[in-house]
Amino acid sequence: MKTKIYVAIVAIIIGAGIFWFVRTGQTSPTTTPSNATSSSAAGGSPSTTPTSYKDGTYTGNATDMEHGIVQVSAVISGGKLTDVQFLQLPQDGRSGEISSLAGPQLRSEALKTQSAQVDIVSGATQTSQAFAQSLQSALSQAGA
């Protein structure tokens, strides 16, 4: 009887561990050597942030997602990303609510990182990915 209980407990623990790994997408903690390039969840490409950008305002590609189009422009001044402006962003219904919450977070993070390598905003995965794609196309035009 005790053996069956132990087996059941072990099975529950293993099942919970597998669920956690699948749910979080993590298989083990990782570290990145200081000389390695990294990628973000939204951008998905290696970090290619130039030391400075060419000054100007650059319009990113319009990125179509399931609930609308996201398009941004990048304002570069003094070789730095100084503003990200939304040219197109879903505004209606639930998509509008998500955009109004995610937009400022994405803009702030892009200004902080000086790149399109932004983390996905919880609950706004598609908006975050579309933002990163549009901003990356604008920053590519401004590349040093």
Side-chain angles (χ1 to χ4, degrees), residues 38-53:
S38 63
S39 63
S40 77
S45 61
S47 177
T48 57
T49 306
T51 54
S52 69
Y53 296 109

Side-chain angles (χ1 to χ4, degrees), residues 43-142:
S45 61
S47 177
T48 57
T49 306
T51 54
S52 69
Y53 296 109
K54 293 180 280 185
D55 287 356
T57 300
Y58 302 90
T59 301
N61 294 333
T63 304
D64 195 5
M65 58 176 208
E66 183 178 342
H67 303 289
I69 296 173
V70 175
Q71 184 177 29
V72 301
S73 68
V75 178
I76 309 296
S77 180
K80 302 283 184 188
L81 178 62
T82 58
D83 195 13
V84 177
Q85 300 169 345
F86 288 91
L87 304 177
Q88 295 186 69
L89 194 62
Q91 298 297 318
D92 297 327
R94 180 71 177 134
S95 294
E97 291 175 27
I98 291 170
S99 295
S100 68
L101 295 172
Q105 291 178 341
L106 293 166
R107 178 186 175 276
S108 176
E109 189 166 347
L111 294 174
K112 183 177 78 176
T113 63
Q114 291 292 297
S115 75
Q117 306 298 315
V118 295
D119 289 331
I120 291 175
V121 174
S122 179
T125 301
Q126 290 182 7
T127 302
S128 299
Q129 292 170 335
F131 171 86
Q133 290 173 8
S134 183
L135 180 57
Q136 183 59 55
S137 69
L139 293 176
S140 293
Q141 297 170 46

